[in-house]
Amino acid sequence: MGASESGSESAVVEVLTSGAAVEAYRSLGSLGRVGFQFAATVVLALVVLGLVQGYGTRTVETARRSPVISICIGLPSGLVLAGLASTGYILVGQSVGIFFGIPLVLLGGTTLPILLVLGFVAVGRATMARLGRDRLGSGILAGGALCGVAGFSIGATILLAVLVASLGIGAFVRVLMSAGGTTAPDERTVPPANKI
């Protein structure tokens, strides 16, 4: 039983520390990268906006309404998330750190792509609003097209992904911070002296 447990741990370590996915992506041609990035963005956006409707649409609206503030908040937050994920990736390679490393890798590996896609949807929706089609579906398609066109160059993809991810992360942080506050006037408390 001890041998099978150590074998399964080493299999998890091999899967997480192998760069097979990165090498497979780099081996694709430019048209393959365009198609893959477009399809992945559209499918993930549909899944995320379908499952997390409230936070997802509010994140897109917040990113559209004030993109500069969202980017300023999102850059340091994105560095923190990427740092946690890379720390977890390093810990997974150590025999002691598997317990701590896997949650960190999962946190970064699930949060970053979701917020990246929400950022692409926000940029796509803002672009389509200028053309007179201010709908969420057209924003998903436009964001997917933008992500797909960036696939012609790996450098452009990385640069665009950093900017758009910081936009999505910053907007999501702003939505989470405003969730605890009072947004509607009916929710505000009235001081006891002013009550009728």
Side-chain angles (χ1 to χ4, degrees):
M1 184 168 174
S4 65
E5 286 179 7
S6 64
S8 64
E9 286 177 2
S10 64
V12 169
V13 170
E14 280 183 298
V15 168
L16 290 176
T17 58
S18 69
V22 175
E23 290 300 321
Y25 174 77
R26 292 181 72 183
S27 68
L28 289 174
S30 59
L31 289 177
R33 285 195 304 267
V34 168
F36 172 74
Q37 288 179 197
F38 172 76
T41 303
V42 169
V43 169
L44 191 57
L46 290 172
V47 168
V48 169
L49 290 171
L51 290 176
V52 193
Q53 293 176 0
Y55 284 110
T57 53
R58 285 194 323 205
T59 300
V60 170
E61 287 298 323
T62 304
R64 265 189 70 200
R65 196 170 47 245
S66 52
V68 175
I69 296 171
S70 296
I71 288 175
C72 289
I73 293 173
L75 277 174
S77 303
L79 287 174
V80 168
L81 275 176
L84 288 174
S86 61
T87 302
Y89 185 76
I90 292 170
L91 288 175
V92 165
Q94 309 297 325
S95 61
V96 178
I98 290 177
F99 180 73
F100 300 106
I102 291 177
L104 293 177
V105 170
L106 289 177
L107 174 71
T110 56
T111 307
L112 287 174
I114 288 171
L115 297 177
L116 172 69
V117 165
L118 289 179
F120 271 116
V121 172
V123 171
R125 189 165 178 194
T127 304
M128 293 305 289
R130 295 188 181 269
L131 300 175
R133 296 198 45 104
D134 189 12
R135 303 191 64 108
L136 194 59
S138 59
I140 291 172
L141 291 177
L146 177 66
C147 183
V149 168
F152 282 114
S153 169
I154 294 179
T157 301
I158 293 171
L159 180 65
L160 186 65
V162 167
L163 286 174
V164 173
S166 62
L167 176 69
I169 292 168
F172 185 71
V173 167
R174 291 175 65 202
V175 166
L176 285 181
M177 287 172 52
S178 69
T182 58
T183 55
D186 298 336
E187 297 176 0
R188 295 187 181 148
T189 58
V190 179
N194 295 339
K195 287 186 179 178
I196 298 174

